[in-house]
Amino acid sequence: MAVRLKDIAQDLGLSVVTISKALRNHPDIAEETRTRILARVKELDYQPNLMARSLVTGRSYLVGLVVPSLLHPFFAEVARSLSAVIGRQGYSLILASSEEDPELEAREIQQMTARRLDALVIATSGADAAPLERLQANGMPYVLIDREITGLATNFVGVDDVAVGRMATTHLLQQGCQRIAHIRGRDNSTGLRRFEGYRQALKKAGRAFSEDLVVARSNVDVDSTRMGAEAMRLLLRRKPRPDAVFAYNDPLAIGAMEAILDAGLRIPQDVAVIGCGNLHYNESLRVPLSSIDQRSSLIGERTAEILLHAIASKTPPQPVSVILDPSLVVRGSSLKRGAVQPAARSKKERAAKKTPARKASMKR
């Protein structure tokens, strides 16, 4: 017969409420009591009845995450940190991939809503606000990550994408690069803002913007390494060819590096490369990749905090926007001059590391 909370309570001479609080890491329970309860729970191999808990609490203790690709390292890192934070409060994460298809994304959101999940996290692939407005109308807490929807007032956690494009391009300019290409993202907030940062950096340096040096691909989160290689091969046919490229994300940059090396060119001597994500591929790369760190783990953590607060609130809280500062991480793929530079962090970012999570870089 399955072990019940009541059985553990009787065995230890404690109340069912005390056992329940200990299992949820409630601060009311003394550490000695919690340790004794957890040890007995492990001995008896107690498994909570999730359906019964759901009926009592009105919660499923499930959070859904819908992203363009489950294989993309950025979204995997966000999922890992998000799961770690909500897991400490007894929640589990359910994953779904939209494959960069807005229609599939809408179906995944609808299915998760039908399963009565407690909250959703979405990295949207489209620009249609209708599925998200339905979530709001139904009272479903959710957070958008990485990309926003214009005109939609909702929770959002991401990085300053204009700063990403500006920082990456400025670094290449400082390395003496003259013809800097850009492999673009899609026409969403992330792609457009990184492109804008690229153009701003060129303008500030007095460099003319050239459409010939900008290439867009149909997909940037799915099959992105191949897409990056295709884009780079197109750029290498330009006359004169670019001597640097800023790729929308790291997988595109890795594909670009493969195309450069396959063409018999050197990185960074002939073509310097920088991506975005700082996703720790360097052990598998022939040339370590310079990148813009977009704080993927922190995005997951901040998202979890907003969700847990929203779930616990009796009335829907005001939308929260968390914009994190990116930082430059220089490695061999872009360093044409001098020694490797340390990661450049802004004053705002350094302050955020010392500030409690709910106060760091938040706008309401």
Side-chain angles (χ1 to χ4, degrees):
M1 188 174 68
V3 177
R4 303 169 298 173
L5 281 185
K6 183 178 179 180
D7 300 326
I8 299 172
Q10 290 177 345
D11 186 40
L12 297 176
L14 299 170
S15 70
V16 171
V17 172
T18 299
I19 303 298
S20 177
K21 285 185 174 182
L23 294 176
R24 290 183 286 114
N25 291 320
H26 199 285
D28 286 355
I29 307 302
E31 191 58 38
E32 181 181 349
T33 303
R34 188 194 320 277
T35 301
R36 189 160 63 101
I37 291 170
L38 294 179
R40 190 58 178 148
V41 164
K42 185 176 181 179
E43 289 171 6
L44 297 174
D45 192 25
Y46 168 72
Q47 302 295 324
N49 186 328
L50 300 180
M51 184 174 292
R53 182 175 67 171
S54 179
L55 290 172
V56 171
T57 64
R59 297 179 186 172
S60 66
Y61 286 88
L62 297 172
V63 171
L65 173 64
V66 183
V67 296
S69 171
L70 295 176
L71 299 178
H72 194 298
F74 167 71
F75 296 115
E77 183 67 19
V78 171
R80 186 196 63 78
S81 60
L82 171 63
S83 180
V85 176
I86 65 173
R88 290 195 286 270
Q89 301 302 319
Y91 286 83
S92 297
L93 191 63
I94 294 180
L95 306 176
S97 174
S98 68
E99 301 300 314
E100 293 191 276
D101 180 347
E103 291 185 3
L104 177 57
E105 176 181 296
R107 291 198 298 272
E108 293 289 358
I109 291 173
Q110 186 177 26
Q111 289 179 11
M112 286 192 170
T113 304
R115 293 179 182 181
R116 299 294 186 266
L117 272 63
D118 292 330
L120 288 177
V121 179
I122 304 164
T124 184
S125 294
D128 184 9
L132 304 174
E133 289 172 341
R134 285 194 290 272
L135 288 179
Q136 289 179 327
N138 292 330
M140 168 71 78
Y142 73 94
V143 179
L144 293 182
I145 59 169
D146 191 52
R147 59 279 309 258
E148 295 182 279
I149 297 291
T150 302
L152 184 67
T154 190
N155 297 311
F156 173 73
V157 182
V159 73
D160 184 341
D161 285 302
V162 175
V164 166
R166 192 167 53 235
M167 187 178 289
T169 309
T170 298
H171 167 65
L172 294 173
L173 288 164
Q174 291 170 344
Q175 299 304 304
C177 300
Q178 300 297 314
R179 286 177 55 79
I180 302 173
H182 178 41
I183 301 176
R184 281 195 57 180
R186 300 179 70 179
D187 284 337
N188 54 25
S189 65
T190 312
L192 292 172
R193 289 170 185 171
R194 291 181 190 178
F195 180 41
E196 175 60 25
Y198 162 77
R199 297 189 64 165
Q200 285 183 10
L202 292 177
K203 183 177 181 180
K204 185 176 180 180
R207 303 289 179 83
F209 166 73
S210 172
E211 289 283 359
D212 281 348
L213 293 177
V214 178
V215 175
R217 297 286 85 188
S218 58
N219 293 319
V220 294
D221 293 316
V222 176
D223 201 17
S224 42
T225 301
R226 182 175 67 84
M227 291 292 176
E230 284 183 1
M232 195 67 230
R233 282 193 286 269
L234 290 174
L235 289 168
L236 291 176
R237 296 189 192 120
R238 305 290 194 257
K239 302 297 182 183
R241 64 167 170 75
D243 61 355
V245 60
F246 158 47
Y248 165 82
N249 62 24
D250 281 352
L252 287 172
I254 291 170
M257 291 170 69
E258 290 178 359
I260 293 166
L261 295 171
D262 287 347
L265 299 171
R266 300 167 301 166
I267 301 170
Q269 294 90 338
D270 297 317
V271 184
V273 182
I274 188 168
C276 178
N278 193 31
L279 298 171
H280 313 296
Y281 295 97
N282 288 297
E283 291 183 2
S284 62
L285 298 178
R286 284 182 276 177
V287 182
L289 176 62
S290 294
S291 187
I292 305 298
D293 191 331
Q294 62 185 114
R295 318 287 299 282
S296 51
S297 290
L298 193 55
I299 287 174
E301 292 170 12
R302 295 290 189 268
T303 299
E305 290 160 4
I306 293 171
L307 282 184
L308 292 171
H309 175 68
I311 292 170
S313 298
K314 293 183 179 179
T315 58
Q318 289 296 309
V320 174
S321 181
V322 180
I323 308 298
L324 302 171
D325 285 335
S327 61
L328 172 65
V329 182
V330 180
R331 300 188 181 98
S333 69
S334 67
L335 193 67
K336 288 194 174 187
R337 297 177 179 175
V340 175
Q341 304 168 32
R345 297 185 181 274
S346 70
K347 291 181 180 178
K348 183 179 179 182
E349 183 183 51
R350 289 195 297 269
K353 293 182 72 177
K354 301 177 182 178
T355 307
R358 191 150 290 281
K359 297 181 181 178
S361 304
M362 279 197 180
K363 299 177 182 178
R364 292 185 183 271

